[in-house]
Every structure is written in C-alpha cells, then in structure tokens.
Amino acid sequence: MKVGVCGFGVAGGAAAMLLARAGHAVTILERAPQLGPVGAGFLLQPAGQEILAEWGLFARIAAASTRIERLEAYTAAGRRLTSLPYADAALGACAYGVQRGVLFSALHEAARTAGAAETLGVELASVEENPGSITVRDTTGRVHGPFDLLVGADGARSVIRQWLNPHTRSADYPHGALWGTGRSDWPADTLYQVTRNAQQLTGLMPIGGGQCGFFWGLRRAELAPLHARGFPAFRESVSRLCPQATAILDDLRGFDRLTFASYRHALPRRTASARCVLIGDAAHSMSPHLGQGANLALLDAAALSRQLAIQPLAAALPAYCSERRAHARYLALLSHALSPFFQSDSTLLGRGRDIALPLLCAWPWMRRQMCLTVAGMKTGFLDRL
Ligand SMILES: Cc1cc2nc3c(=O)[nH]c(=O)nc-3n(C[C@H](O)[C@H](O)[C@H](O)COP(=O)(O)OP(=O)(O)OC[C@H]3O[C@@H](n4cnc5c(N)ncnc54)[C@H](O)[C@@H]3O)c2cc1C
C-alpha cells in the first residue's frame, strides 16, 4: 500500500519503520523542517521495552539509558508517600530513564533504512477521504497523496483526530510543567518526586550519560510571573522543596534550557475510518503523571502493523481499534482522575492523597496493581485483578 504517516514522534516513527519494513511505500509528512526529538527524557516501561526488543532496537537504547528500579514520592516534610518497585510487577522488571533523542535516533535510522521517505516542513491542515484513496492538504494548500492509508500520528493536538471526531471535546489542563535535563548522578536508580499538597510537585529521573531529567509542575498562568522573578528566585523555591535538585539547576543556570509542556486530555470515540487510523497521543492524549504516553505509542504502532500483516485494510483497522481500546481508555481515564491529586489548587485533595497513598501502598494486592499499571502490564480496569 501507499501509506502516509502524519507526524514523526514516537508513534509516527515506530509506525513508519514497521510499515516500511513490511514492504509498504511509506511517506512521512512532518511539520518540523528537520526531524528531531521534542520533549523531556521519559520512562520506558517494561511493556515498551519488550516491543523495542522485538524490533531489534532495545539493546542500543538500554545501553545509553539508566535502569529505574522504583518510583518514589515524598512530601515536603520528607514523609514517604509511595515506593513502587518494578519487581512487584514481575521478577527482574525495571523501567529505563531514556533521553528522548536516543529513542528518536533509533526509530529514525530504522525507518530510513527500511525505505520510508520524508516530506518535511509540511503542516497538515485538512483531510479528504474517497472510497478508493485518501489525500491531505497542508497549510499552503498543497495536496499530498493519494494514499491507500493515512496514519494520524500528529500528537496531542491532532488535526486528524479533529477531522474524524468533529464534535469531540478535548480539555487542556491548566497545569503543566517546566522540563529540562542537567548533569547529576543522583538519584541512582529511582524516579524521585517531592510534593507539597497538590500545589507543588517536582521530580528527578536519571536518563543515562550522567544526565538527569528534572521537572517542576506549575500552572500555565504562573509561567510569566516565574520568569519575571528570575532564575535565582526559582532555584531557591526548588531547593526548598527538593534540595537534591540544586545541582541540576546549577548546571542549567537559566530558563533557556527549561521548556514548558502543557497537558491535554482527549479520548476520541472514533480512532479509524475506512482509510485513516489514529495512533499515539492523537488517539489518546493524557497528562504524563503515569508516564505511559510513549509506551502506548509504541504498543499502538506494533498492534497496527500486526493487524495489517494478517488481514486486509477493511478488517485490520477495526481490529486494531478494538485491540488497543481498553488499554488506552484505562490509562487515559485513570490519569485524568488522578491528575488533580498531584497538580491542582486543592489543598484538600493533596491532604487526602497524603493519607491514602501510604495506606494503599502498604496493601500488597493494591501495590501490585499500581506496579502493574505503571509497568504498562495492566491493560484494563479488570485485567490482572
Ligand atoms: C512533559 C512530558 C513528560 C512525559 N513523560 C513520559 C514518560 O515518562 N513516559 C512515557 O511513556 N510518556 C511520557 N510522556 C508522553 C509522551 O511523550 C507522549 O505520549 C509521546 O511522545 C506521544 O508520541 P506521539 O508520537 O503520539 O506524539 P508526539 O511525540 O507529540 O509527535 C507528534 C508529531 O506530529 C507532528 N505534528 C503535529 N501536528 C502536525 C501537523 N498538523 N502536520 C504535520 N505534523 C504534525 C509534531 O511536530 C510531532 O513531530 C510525557 C509527555 C510530556 C509532555
């Protein structure tokens, strides 16, 4: 088939590589003038590691990343709220703290080697689907295609999702986070987070090469005042909540190497038509508190290529949608429900969380459910009970 893949992030990169490897004529349509990773370091969960290993890419990514054995969260007063060891999900399981560029380069190289073509600097604006083909028009009016299949991998603000679901509402969270990467060898094997009520949240995650990912949660509206107060005042606030982050801020030295990321929740009803299918954040965008988006993007691409390999397009797209629906729905709804407990203006939710989380973690069955969920191994509300 002639396949257009719109967007070259984790989902589009993986889909372009797999479909080109399967012998399809793949064209990547990407709005960025040059392909490159966007965003912070991320946690590669066990389910994503398994898929990358099947594709022959995992060893290279693991070698450049850091093993994460557990997720820990503390209050500002130093009381432990959670400690979720990956070993509770499965013997020997762990996550990896990965620099986005490492995964990106692996996918990009593999997609190129498999023969995927790239059309860059193209911002898709609309889609036209006919019984025999599908085309897309970019913002300059140029038409791309015709394709037999269009893969919508254009991220959390997907134009293709909007075209498939003109009446679906997606919600921007008022909160987001400043993200950056700096030199630090602490913490060694843990995603470490500190929170004060639900109003302050910061975290550190080692991502290989002596680098550590850092984030500081804040409301979008607080960004300009934060910049106006200056970097030294910001460093002071971070050090008060999490003294361990000071070394990274001293390496960053200013706001230039910190990027603000906002979050969006969208769970569209339609994720496919006869010739178009959504994958990754385009199919399910969520806040990153559960650390699952990149993982889901890899699983989506794997499921799509598997279904296309075993049956014709007309059957493969509905089969892909039903295969992926429960997992995406579970994580999107869970992260939407939990987000206000970690980032909101409510003191009450923060206090409730501080009481409930340690109790839930002390209950072995519940701790295992939580570990399976973050590991990407629990794929629905009723799975693995
Ligand atoms: C701060 C933060 C931390 C995160 N941490 C984690 C984590 O620890 N673990 C985890 O698994 N996930 C994490 N995630 C989520 C994860 O990054 C995303 O879910 C994942 O990158 C989604 O990949 P994607 O390919 O679907 O979308 P994207 O990576 O957003 O890629 C979309 C691509 O489409 C292109 N595009 C968009 N619109 C158009 C258009 N109209 N025309 C042409 N091209 C277009 C964009 O330029 C981009 O290249 C985090 C997210 C954020 C914001």
Side-chain angles (χ1 to χ4, degrees), residues 6-12 29-32 38 40-45 100 122-125 153-157 159 177 179 205 261-263 279-282 288 291-297:
C6 183
F8 197 89
V10 179
L29 303 166
E30 165 60 50
R31 74 174 163 200
V38 179
F42 71 97
L43 259 188
L44 178 62
Q45 307 292 358
R100 229 162 250 259
V122 164
E123 177 151 12
L124 177 134
D154 52 339
R157 285 168 178 74
V159 170
W179 293 78
M205 177 175 70
S262 57
Y263 315 146
I279 61 172
D281 278 11
Q292 298 295 319
N295 214 49
L296 283 174

Side-chain angles (χ1 to χ4, degrees), residues 287-300:
S287 73
H289 295 110
L290 293 173
Q292 298 295 319
N295 214 49
L296 283 174
L298 295 171
L299 295 171
D300 287 354

Side-chain angles (χ1 to χ4, degrees), residues 6-69:
C6 183
F8 197 89
V10 179
M17 173 195 75
L18 291 173
L19 298 179
R21 279 183 178 179
H24 300 294
V26 173
T27 303
I28 297 155
L29 303 166
E30 165 60 50
R31 74 174 163 200
Q34 270 193 326
L35 291 184
V38 179
F42 71 97
L43 259 188
L44 178 62
Q45 307 292 358
Q49 295 162 29
E50 207 176 304
I51 293 285
L52 286 166
E54 273 175 34
W55 301 343
L57 302 178
F58 177 61
R60 164 183 172 179
I61 291 164
S65 307
T66 299
R67 262 182 88 96
I68 304 285
E69 304 290 351

